Amino acid sequence: MSTHKGKTRVAILGASGYTGAELVRLLARHTHVEIVALTGDRKAGEPMSDVFGQFAMLNLPRLTTIKDVDWSNVDAAFCALPHATTQAVVNELPDHVRVIDISADFRLENPETYRKWYAHEHQALELQKQAVYGLTEFNRERIKTARIVACPGCYPTAALLPLLPLLEQKLIDPDEIIIDAKSGVSGAGRGEKQANLHAEVSEGIHAYGVGKHRHMPEIEQELSKAAGRAVPVTFTPHLMPMNRGMLDTIYVRTSNGTTAERMHGALTQRYAGESFVHVMPFGQTPQTRHVRGSNHCFIGVVAEARPGRATLLSAIDNLTKGASGQGVQNFNLMFGYPETTGIDMLPLFP
């Protein structure tokens, strides 16, 4: 591990977006990190405090373009770039730079699946073979030694954490999974889009990407690994009139005579030693306000009135555990720091 003054030197690519800003918020107070480069092509040359006023008290590098970064001075790159742009960038990075990718560019293991869902050819096939899927609680050992970690999307994170242990233990029917997911507007990025204007989003809720959202193959990829067979899911995302937060309501059919209480026990046992995943008492349900601004995930299990069915609920902050916080969690593993360093803050309420 290369360090400067005892710290790991970090570049944040795409620092002018929401996930980039969240990375700055977390890493600026990380005791083992020195932020040495911030990129944002459209804002190149500007102080970070002009783009995000909340950072006015920090001594941060000015925003620059990616091509102007001195990579000899960088140990780790956080990539908070738009989807379909990261592969080409990582292709050009020196081998000593370890990559924590927040985009979707290295999440799908099958290049043909990537081409189908992102409508262009994969541009870093050799690097894809090295990439480790960064759902921290399930891939710790591989993440520690990885050069490239593909952090999960926010929707997959919220869905996989409650579902994976149940599929691994064959407690639910793999063919009967319905995921009803709701996200805050920041999940759509900071770009200027009519659909994200206040008047378009406030005082309403709407579904989007119905039956064809790009996170669907990512969810199915990881669920299929856990089940040892192909797992199809019904997944519908919704946009909510809130800045942050994500709530999944997941409907499942039990298998092998399993009860909702047994499912709750299995999840409680699986996450008993985890710092960031918490299973609520049986029958209680989480809220997005319970995790706002934190790296925590709260999971609830509720029995339905009809036997053989149960409802799972999962709440995360889409920018933190669903993106940048999970990225820092993986960074800590990669560089040998305590996993909670820089991300052990309590949720913000109200």
Side-chain angles (χ1 to χ4, degrees), residues 8-15 19-20 22-24 26-27 30 33-35 37-39 66 71 74-81 86 89-90 93 97-103 149 151 323-332 334-335 343:
T8 301
R9 299 166 297 181
V10 164
I12 300 173
L13 312 186
T19 54
E22 186 76 346
L23 284 166
V24 172
L26 300 174
L27 293 172
H30 193 295
V33 164
E34 179 183 1
I35 299 174
L38 299 171
T39 78
I66 293 174
W71 293 107
V74 175
D75 303 309
F78 284 86
C79 297
L81 300 167
T86 306
V89 171
V90 176
L93 296 185
V97 177
R98 301 177 77 179
V99 176
I100 303 94
D101 185 20
I102 311 295
S103 83
V149 172
C151 296
S324 303
Q326 188 159 220
V328 175
Q329 193 176 351
N330 290 328
F331 164 85
N332 287 334
M334 295 167 74
F335 285 88
I343 48 173

Side-chain angles (χ1 to χ4, degrees), residues 124-143:
L125 292 176
E126 289 304 311
L127 292 178
Q128 181 63 59
K129 298 173 185 176
Q130 304 175 30
V132 173
Y133 191 71
L135 189 64
T136 319
E137 288 75 15
F138 288 84
N139 274 336
R140 275 195 178 90
E141 293 309 309
R142 293 184 65 210
I143 289 168

Side-chain angles (χ1 to χ4, degrees), residues 108-116 120-122 125 128:
L108 297 178
E109 296 173 359
N110 187 327
E112 178 58 27
T113 303
Y114 178 85
R115 186 199 63 77
K116 174 183 175 182
H120 70 86
E121 298 295 331
H122 200 293
L125 292 176
Q128 181 63 59

Side-chain angles (χ1 to χ4, degrees), residues 162-323:
L163 287 171
L164 288 179
L166 303 180
L167 284 171
E168 288 176 344
Q169 298 185 41
K170 303 187 185 310
L171 300 181
I172 58 175
D173 185 342
D175 293 317
E176 296 284 343
I177 299 174
I178 300 172
I179 303 169
D180 180 336
K182 298 174 177 66
S183 174
V185 182
S186 58
R190 204 185 188 201
E192 297 176 0
K193 307 170 190 173
Q194 178 177 313
N196 296 344
L197 294 172
H198 176 77
E200 305 283 339
V201 175
S202 66
E203 302 180 38
I205 172 176
H206 67 270
Y208 66 100
V210 180
K212 57 183 180 182
H213 193 278
R214 288 173 170 177
H215 281 169
M216 188 181 297
E218 181 185 340
I219 295 170
E220 292 182 342
Q221 170 182 279
E222 298 305 311
L223 294 182
S224 298
K225 290 181 192 175
R229 46 151 289 190
V231 177
V233 298
T234 299
F235 167 66
T236 304
H238 301 76
L239 198 64
M240 299 293 291
M242 59 185 183
N243 293 334
R244 288 173 174 260
M246 178 163 289
L247 180 71
D248 277 15
T249 305
I250 306 171
Y251 306 100
V252 297
R253 184 190 294 273
T254 61
S255 62
N256 302 320
T258 299
T259 63
E261 289 86 352
R262 184 181 172 192
M263 291 164 53
H264 178 265
L267 288 169
T268 301
Q269 183 176 11
R270 173 60 180 81
Y271 293 119
E274 293 293 344
S275 299
F276 296 116
V277 183
H278 315 281
V279 181
M280 304 180 74
F282 184 70
Q284 292 189 16
T285 58
Q287 302 177 28
T288 57
R289 70 187 70 190
H290 294 159
V291 295
R292 180 179 172 87
S294 80
N295 200 53
H296 296 282
C297 171
F298 283 8
I299 296 172
V301 181
V302 179
E304 291 195 17
R306 294 173 295 169
R309 295 182 180 272
T311 301
L312 311 171
L313 297 103
S314 174
I316 64 172
D317 185 313
N318 59 293
L319 288 179
T320 316
K321 183 59 172 170

